[in-house]
Amino acid sequence: MLVELAIGDAYGGSFEHAYPSFVAEHNKLAGYVAQPGAQAGRYTDDTQMTIAIAEVLVSGRRWTPLLLAEQFVRAYHRDPHDGYAPRFHQLLSEVRDGEELLRRLQPQSDKSGAAMRAGPIGLLPTVDDVLYHAKLQARITHDTPAGIAAAQAAALAVHYCHHRVGPLAEVARWIDGILPEDVGHGGWALPWSGKVGPQGWMSVRAALTVLTGGGGLARMLHTAVALTGDVDTVATIALAAASRSPEVAQDLPTALWRDLENGEFGRDYLAGLDARLLHI
Ligand SMILES: [Mg+2]
């Protein structure tokens, strides 16, 4: 799951908020697309924060806001990546530990930060576990009804696929039954079309549209990026869930596997963490 979502994030990262003409010309899945000032095949904040969540999960420790905040700070400082919202990026780079992060954060955002990192939480055994942990981590940075609901929905999508709750085409309606629409987005099963904006529910609804649209991972990645807008996050959320679905062909192009960054916290590290994560 982690390698696939990182591939989606790294590939989508080259297209985040790019012009539709650029997306149409380069969204061919032939390889990572180089952008000025950015290394092709490098993942973004979505994957880095997901790694932090996954590490806390495999540690087996009881979740607290401080434990999560510590891990967000550690993951960033040991291997700084781009893609964070500017103010959060600045704060992360300034703070020395989780206590300082919690003290200085103003967690009023309803954007996608808490949803993009929630995927591994869906592996937990029960829906209540998923809702509890998705909310706890969301409240650190996105303590708003919409920010929390988006994180819960993203994690529930993984839960549905991993635990084979039902056919993939029904995943968004299943989430609607658990998280009644009360945050102003019209319901999780409402198909998304067009450019994806910054609110968390937008990325999640777009990812659910990609998931229920069918195809293998390659087609889903292409479809996510073709939406334009915040597509690295859409691809991260969609591929986290799709990689756990028995219905979805695991057909990401070899070049995307090969060229994903593979430094200390790159592809091989993600694969190793993935193997541990699937046994929690
Ligand atoms: Mg990102």
Side-chain angles (χ1 to χ4, degrees), residues 28-97:
K28 308 291 188 200
L29 302 183
Y32 296 103
V33 178
Q35 284 277 46
Q39 192 188 325
R42 194 163 163 82
Y43 58 71
T44 81
D45 55 330
D46 303 51
T47 300
Q48 182 148 75
M49 296 199 92
T50 304
I51 291 172
I53 295 274
E55 289 171 335
V56 174
L57 273 173
V58 301
S59 77
R61 297 175 69 184
R62 194 174 66 82
W63 282 33
T64 64
L66 182 59
L67 181 65
L68 273 291
E70 286 283 355
Q71 203 61 25
F72 293 153
V73 173
R74 188 175 299 137
Y76 175 77
H77 280 268
R78 72 190 179 191
D79 184 28
H81 274 63
D82 292 332
Y84 290 93
R87 270 172 50 201
F88 187 59
H89 201 169
Q90 175 78 23
L91 184 58
L92 257 187
S93 64
E94 287 174 11
V95 301
R96 284 157 305 161
D97 55 30

Side-chain angles (χ1 to χ4, degrees), residues 94-227:
E94 287 174 11
V95 301
R96 284 157 305 161
D97 55 30
E99 186 276 327
E100 189 180 1
L101 181 68
L102 291 181
R103 182 158 45 79
R104 293 179 57 187
L105 255 178
Q106 294 181 332
Q108 267 79 60
S109 176
D110 62 357
K111 299 201 166 52
S112 60
M116 72 190 190
R117 64 186 185 227
I121 298 167
L123 301 175
L124 290 169
T126 72
V127 166
D128 284 346
D129 284 332
V130 173
L131 294 175
Y132 172 82
H133 291 85
K135 182 174 184 175
L136 188 150
Q137 66 82 25
R139 293 191 62 193
I140 296 169
T141 49
H142 294 72
D143 195 6
T144 58
I148 292 166
Q152 290 176 320
L156 285 172
V158 171
H159 185 84
Y160 184 91
C161 293
H162 179 69
H163 293 284
R164 307 192 178 189
V165 176
L168 189 56
E170 296 296 321
V171 61
R173 275 190 284 274
W174 179 76
I175 293 171
D176 262 337
I178 295 169
L179 297 176
E181 197 279 312
D182 61 357
V183 290
H185 60 67
W188 299 107
L190 200 61
W192 180 274
S193 62
K195 185 177 174 183
V196 181
Q199 266 69 45
W201 63 262
M202 296 176 177
S203 289
V204 177
R205 245 187 60 198
L208 292 171
T209 301
V210 168
L211 280 170
T212 53
L217 290 181
R219 179 175 159 197
M220 289 184 182
L221 178 54
H222 181 270
T223 305
V225 167
L227 290 170

